[in-house]
């Protein structure tokens, strides 16, 4: 049986860039909840603001829900996993990506696509 650190089940605090509204970006301390079922919590070790993040900051995505923490393109280590996650484990090295999907349009329903018609 694998020993799981208590911290994996606790809220953690860290610093993050937060976009509160188009054009309003601040760096502040945030709380990150433990992962829920099907989720993973990643400790990012390197990240950057990409063009997608810049579009969110500029207000180009009218359906974006704020606040948003940009920096989804980076490299990290899985810190903890939620119930039911079997494809990753704590300690795995990962590269997160942004693939917004509504789950309803023809592109989202196509298993060979990773582009959402509504996220344009």
């Amino acid at each position: 049986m694998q020993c799981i650190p208590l911290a994996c089940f606790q809220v953690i605090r860290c610093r993050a860039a937060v976009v509160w509204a188009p054009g309003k970006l601040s760096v502040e301390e945030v709380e990150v909840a433990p992962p829920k079922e099907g989720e993973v919590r990643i400790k990012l070790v390197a990240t950057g603001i990409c063009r997608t993040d810049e579009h969110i900051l500029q207000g180009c995505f009218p359906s974006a829900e704020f606040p948003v923490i940009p920096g989804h393109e980076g490299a990290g280590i899985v810190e903890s996993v939620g119930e039911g996650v079997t494809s990753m484990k704590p300690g795995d090295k990962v590269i997160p990506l942004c693939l917004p999907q509504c789950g309803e349009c023809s592109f989202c329903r196509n298993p060979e696509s990773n582009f959402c018609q509504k996220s344009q």
Side-chain angles (χ1 to χ4, degrees):
M1 182 171 170
Q2 181 181 3
C3 180
I4 301 173
L6 182 59
C8 294
F9 302 103
Q10 297 177 338
V11 171
I12 60 172
R13 297 183 71 74
C14 62
R15 291 181 53 77
V18 181
V19 180
W20 289 99
K24 187 175 180 207
L25 175 74
S26 63
V27 176
E28 53 196 77
E29 192 169 283
V30 298
E31 291 185 346
V32 183
K36 297 176 185 165
E37 183 176 350
E39 295 180 340
V40 297
R41 186 162 63 181
I42 300 168
K43 178 181 180 179
L44 288 175
V45 294
T47 189
I49 303 296
C50 74
R51 187 71 176 136
T52 303
D53 295 323
E54 188 176 331
H55 281 294
I56 290 171
L57 185 58
Q58 292 172 346
C60 296
F61 293 113
S63 61
E65 294 182 26
F66 295 96
V68 173
I69 296 178
H72 59 269
E73 289 185 3
I77 300 168
V78 174
E79 185 267 341
S80 54
V81 299
E83 189 175 330
V85 175
T86 58
S87 60
M88 292 180 228
K89 63 185 181 312
D92 283 351
K93 295 172 181 71
V94 294
I95 300 172
L97 299 172
C98 176
L99 294 174
Q101 294 184 318
C102 70
E104 299 170 2
C105 71
S106 61
F107 289 99
C108 286
R109 290 193 311 263
N110 181 344
E112 296 179 8
S113 172
N114 67 354
F115 179 78
C116 177
Q117 207 167 17
K118 294 181 180 180
S119 69
Q120 295 184 33

